[in-house]
């Protein structure tokens, strides 16, 4: 790992590209409009970003469609597509420090997390998905001997992808790697709060040999570029990661336009169940990670803690110790464990929820309201609020910041009921040394993912996604490829 001063020096040498990337060329938005890209730890402008809108979406989708129809990528031999995607992954690896810096400067994530999680996981996603291209088979249906029914998985055409800012490189990778591997063309709209790594990724795609127009990137606001993409009549599939509020809007846009398939990876308010028969030290460490990692700006953040009453005192003492590991600082410093919130609006959201928690009877046991100084970054404090219950606003709603609600329970059934009492169903953590309880509880929890005696661990081979208001799609694993292919059945009478 490079030192703080080495990362600082390297960041000075970076150049930022904020223009749209269409058909292999960087270009201004058709309107010529831009908006500033701000480093949230210094509040300084890094560069200007093209503010794309409907005109740019129309141009990009038309180009993507033309490239798809030409077959230059969609009909390329799978082995050749695989080789090119592997080269793309190699190029990302060759530029791994640059990618780490781009997201850290753009949205405030610690460089440590970028180097150890986001960048290697993104590279792995590209490599693993590329390796699948020439290993996925079709089927022959078990019809009678006088017919032959061939079932094949085919690219859908043009995929629109809309992504958030909290894991800019990784969330983009989880969408575009399988979509492109399957032979589609993609028009990507990254978050207006973190567009830089997506634009660089697109440039490297062309350098690796992916034909121009297979990946077009349109930075811009949700209500302009995002909405136009979601309403576009020539987009076949929409793949989204972001809030539940916007996810619902996208379903509406699809219905109002061409009934495009919409895959949603949306918000969460994940529960963390700590049973008396757990390893308290490990559970406390995991609980702190589950709410303070990435400043709590994590969809799977376990922001609702339910701890068994009989160990609550001992567990809380251990948790307070673990919380001390999380200290805010310059995210370029590898020692920093918590960077700033992505922007002033997100900091205000955190502040608003802490106020509402106290008004509704919560008791702050560490952290509290942010101490903001103008021009010195949007830093929140790791905050734990005890005396919480499921009726309180800050326990029901996603905060997307480092604020943990502490509730307790007495029986296993009560713990499960409290955990499931949420509109969301993304992830859940269960801490117990009792194997039967681990299976029983994880089976009954209403979520797409459950971690037992750990939190947030995954692998490219493992699907990622939720149920209920947390969405309907799965990123990663072979299941991700299903989102970007249509099934075709050709029946031949012999
Ligand atoms: P957001 O919903 O505000 O924005 C997500 C994307 O949608 C952005 O690119 C934005 O510009 C775009 N958008 C906004 N309004 C739009 C509209 N009207 N039409 C089309 N596009 C529009 O979410 P965010 O603040 O960027 O990200 C945080 C949210 O993402 C949290 O709720 C978090 O839980 C969720 N998230 C979920 C997962 C998951 O896998 N389930 C992963 C990461 C983040």
């Amino acid at each position: 790992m490079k030192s703080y001063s080495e990362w600082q020096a390297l960041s000075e040498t970076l150049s930022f590209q904020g223009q749209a990337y269409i058909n292999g060329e960087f270009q201004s938005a058709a309107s010529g409009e831009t908006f500033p890209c701000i480093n949230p730890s210094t509040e300084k402008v890094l560069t200007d970003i093209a503010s794309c809108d409907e005109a740019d979406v129309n141009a990009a989708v038309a180009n993507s469609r033309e490239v798809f129809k030409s077959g230059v990528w969609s009909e390329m031999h799978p082995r050749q597509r695989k080789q090119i995607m592997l080269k793309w992954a190699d190029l990302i690896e060759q530029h791994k420090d640059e990618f780490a810096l781009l997201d850290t400067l753009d949205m405030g994530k610690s460089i440590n997390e970028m180097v150890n999680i986001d960048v290697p996981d993104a590279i792995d996603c590209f490599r693993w998905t590329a390796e699948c291209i020439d290993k996925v088979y079709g089927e022959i249906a078990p019809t009678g001997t006088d017919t032959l029914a061939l079932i094949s998985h085919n690219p859908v055409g043009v995929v629109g992808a809309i992504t958030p800012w909290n894991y800019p490189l990784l969330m983009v990778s989880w969408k575009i790697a399988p979509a492109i591997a399957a032979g589609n063309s993609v028009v990507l709209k990254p978050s207006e709060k973190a567009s830089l790594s997506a634009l660089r990724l697109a440039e490297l795609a062309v350098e690796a040999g992916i034909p121009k127009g297979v990946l077009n990137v349109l930075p811009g606001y949700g209500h302009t570029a995002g909405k136009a993409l979601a309403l576009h009549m020539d987009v076949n599939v929409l793949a989204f990661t972001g809030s539940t509020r916007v996810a619902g809007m996208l379903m509406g846009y699809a219905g109002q336009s061409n009934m495009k398939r919409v895959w949603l990876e949306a918000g969460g308010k994940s529960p963390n169940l700590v049973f008396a028969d757990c390893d308290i030290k490990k559970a406390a460490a995991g609980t702190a990670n589950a709410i303070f990692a990435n400043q709590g700006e994590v969809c799977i953040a376990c922001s609702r803690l339910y701890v068994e009453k009989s160990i609550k005192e001992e567990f809380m003492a251990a948790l307070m110790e673990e919380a001390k590991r999380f200290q805010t600082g310059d995210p370029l410093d590898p020692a920093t464990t918590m960077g700033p919130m992505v922007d002033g609006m997100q900091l205000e959201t955190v502040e608003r929820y802490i106020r509402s928690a106290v008004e509704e009877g919560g008791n702050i046991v560490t952290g509290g309201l942010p101490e903001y100084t103008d021009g010195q970054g949007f830093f929140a404090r790791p905050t734990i609020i005890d005396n919480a219950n499921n009726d309180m606003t800050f326990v029901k709603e996603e905060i997307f910041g480092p604020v943990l609600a502490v509730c307790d329970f007495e029986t296993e059934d009560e713990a499960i009921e409290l955990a499931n009492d949420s509109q969301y169903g993304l992830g859940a953590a269960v801490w117990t040394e009792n194997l039967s309880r681990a299976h029983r509880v994880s089976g009954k929890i209403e979520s797409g993912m459950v971690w037992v005696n750990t939190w947030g661990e995954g692998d490219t081979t493992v699907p990622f996604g939720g149920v209920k208001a947390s969405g309907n799609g799965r990123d990663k694993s072979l299941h991700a490829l299903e989102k970007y292919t249509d099934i075709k059945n050709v029946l031949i009478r012999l």
Side-chain angles (χ1 to χ4, degrees):
M1 172 64 94
K2 291 187 167 47
S3 67
Y4 184 19
S5 54
E6 283 171 323
W7 284 116
Q8 282 175 312
L10 204 55
S11 71
E12 298 295 325
T13 66
L14 273 193
S15 59
F16 305 106
Q17 177 53 261
Q19 289 184 305
Y21 194 72
I22 304 176
N23 201 26
E25 304 288 339
F26 282 110
Q27 47 194 271
S28 303
S31 65
E33 296 289 320
T34 60
F35 57 86
C37 167
I38 292 166
N39 177 344
S41 62
T42 60
E43 300 184 41
K44 296 212 168 86
V45 175
L46 293 169
T47 188
D48 288 327
I49 305 283
S51 183
C52 294
D53 62 21
E54 194 179 347
D56 307 285
V57 169
N58 289 341
V61 173
N63 171 247
S64 291
R65 174 64 61 192
E66 193 185 316
V67 171
F68 178 76
K69 275 172 132 174
S70 75
V72 62
W73 178 251
S74 55
E75 292 171 22
M76 185 185 278
H77 192 290
R79 205 175 308 123
Q80 203 181 343
R81 270 195 276 140
K82 176 181 81 174
Q83 294 304 346
I84 292 175
M85 284 200 62
L86 288 172
K87 181 156 182 226
W88 192 9
D90 289 345
L91 285 174
I92 300 166
E93 188 159 40
Q94 282 164 29
H95 293 87
K96 60 184 194 302
D97 288 348
E98 181 186 350
F99 277 105
L101 279 170
L102 284 177
D103 279 2
T104 291
L105 297 172
D106 209 356
M107 55 67 69
K109 182 192 293 277
S110 79
I111 197 80
N112 215 319
E113 287 197 28
M114 281 308 298
V115 168
N116 291 309
I117 300 172
D118 299 43
V119 175
D121 283 8
I123 295 167
D124 191 49
C125 174
F126 279 98
R127 289 212 172 110
W128 189 87
T129 315
E131 284 292 353
C132 295
I133 298 177
D134 60 353
K135 296 172 189 67
V136 180
Y137 291 71
E139 301 153 39
I140 296 177
T143 58
T145 53
D146 53 353
T147 53
L148 177 65
L150 306 170
I151 299 168
S152 58
H153 299 263
N154 303 288
V156 296
V158 176
V159 172
I162 301 179
T163 52
W165 47 264
N166 65 328
Y167 285 81
L169 172 68
L170 196 56
M171 292 301 103
V172 164
S173 306
W174 286 3
K175 300 286 183 235
I176 66 174
I180 291 177
N184 300 290
S185 297
V186 175
V187 178
L188 166 70
K189 196 214 79 70
S191 170
E192 59 274 30
K193 298 181 187 181
S195 318
L196 298 175
S197 55
L199 289 161
R200 186 70 178 115
L201 211 47
E203 198 180 8
L204 291 187
V206 170
E207 198 176 321
I210 292 188
K212 293 176 180 177
V214 168
L215 175 59
N216 289 327
V217 182
L218 302 180
Y221 289 104
H223 61 277
T224 55
K227 184 174 176 182
L229 189 60
L231 280 169
H232 203 287
M233 294 298 285
D234 205 24
V235 169
N236 302 92
V237 162
L238 198 60
F240 171 78
T241 298
S243 65
T244 292
R245 185 183 67 84
V246 174
M249 293 164 77
L250 298 189
M251 292 182 108
Y253 297 152
Q256 289 160 37
S257 52
N258 60 346
M259 281 178 55
K260 55 181 72 64
R261 214 186 307 160
V262 184
W263 295 111
L264 305 168
E265 328 285 340
K269 189 78 193 176
S270 298
N272 185 18
L273 306 187
V274 177
F275 288 93
D277 53 17
C278 73
D279 176 325
I280 288 190
K281 200 169 158 34
K282 280 190 195 149
T287 299
N289 291 341
I291 185 64
F292 299 136
N294 203 36
Q295 306 81 241
E297 293 169 329
V298 184
C299 56
I300 52 169
C302 280
S303 46
R304 296 185 287 141
L305 167 65
Y306 300 97
V307 55
E308 193 162 342
K309 243 183 195 153
S310 59
I311 58 155
K312 186 171 175 192
E313 210 180 306
E314 190 185 350
F315 179 77
M316 288 304 289
L319 177 59
M320 297 292 279
E321 270 313 298
E322 292 294 339
K324 289 184 190 153
R325 279 192 287 124
F326 292 87
Q327 303 284 342
T328 51
D330 184 349
L332 281 180
D333 182 350
T336 293
T337 41
M338 250 182 72
M341 299 280 96
V342 70
D343 60 14
M345 227 161 64
Q346 196 62 25
L347 187 65
E348 278 169 24
T349 301
V350 168
E351 185 171 347
R352 194 174 67 246
Y353 277 109
I354 294 176
R355 282 189 202 286
S356 96
V358 172
E359 277 162 27
E360 294 182 34
N363 175 26
I364 297 175
V365 291
T366 188
L369 293 173
E371 289 158 354
Y372 173 71
T373 312
D374 194 19
Q376 294 194 12
F378 307 111
F379 291 93
R381 300 159 71 193
T383 297
I384 300 178
I385 303 180
D386 199 355
N387 203 27
N389 64 64
N390 279 10
D391 293 329
M392 294 162 82
T393 313
F394 92 113
V395 185
K396 285 193 229 166
E397 297 178 7
E398 184 181 41
I399 302 173
F400 222 52
V403 182
L404 177 66
V406 183
C407 314
D408 51 39
F409 67 86
E410 281 182 285
T411 66
E412 186 179 301
D413 284 348
E414 187 191 356
I416 294 166
E417 201 177 316
L418 288 168
N420 288 341
D421 176 25
S422 169
Q423 64 160 324
Y424 296 108
L426 192 52
V430 178
W431 301 89
T432 175
E433 296 291 301
N434 178 331
L435 186 63
S436 300
R437 190 201 292 279
H439 280 290
R440 227 173 21 238
V441 175
S442 48
K444 285 186 183 162
I445 286 187
E446 296 163 357
S447 69
M449 298 170 279
V450 180
W451 295 276
V452 178
N453 295 330
T454 182
W455 167 80
E457 277 189 65
D459 191 274
T460 311
T461 57
V462 177
F464 188 104
V467 298
K468 296 161 82 175
S470 292
N472 59 9
R474 294 292 180 276
D475 284 329
K476 305 197 300 175
S477 81
L478 289 179
H479 294 287
L481 286 171
E482 293 164 13
K483 302 200 307 193
Y484 306 110
T485 50
D486 279 326
I487 292 176
K488 180 178 262 182
N489 156 31
V490 176
L491 188 141
I492 305 165
R493 174 147 293 281
L494 301 176

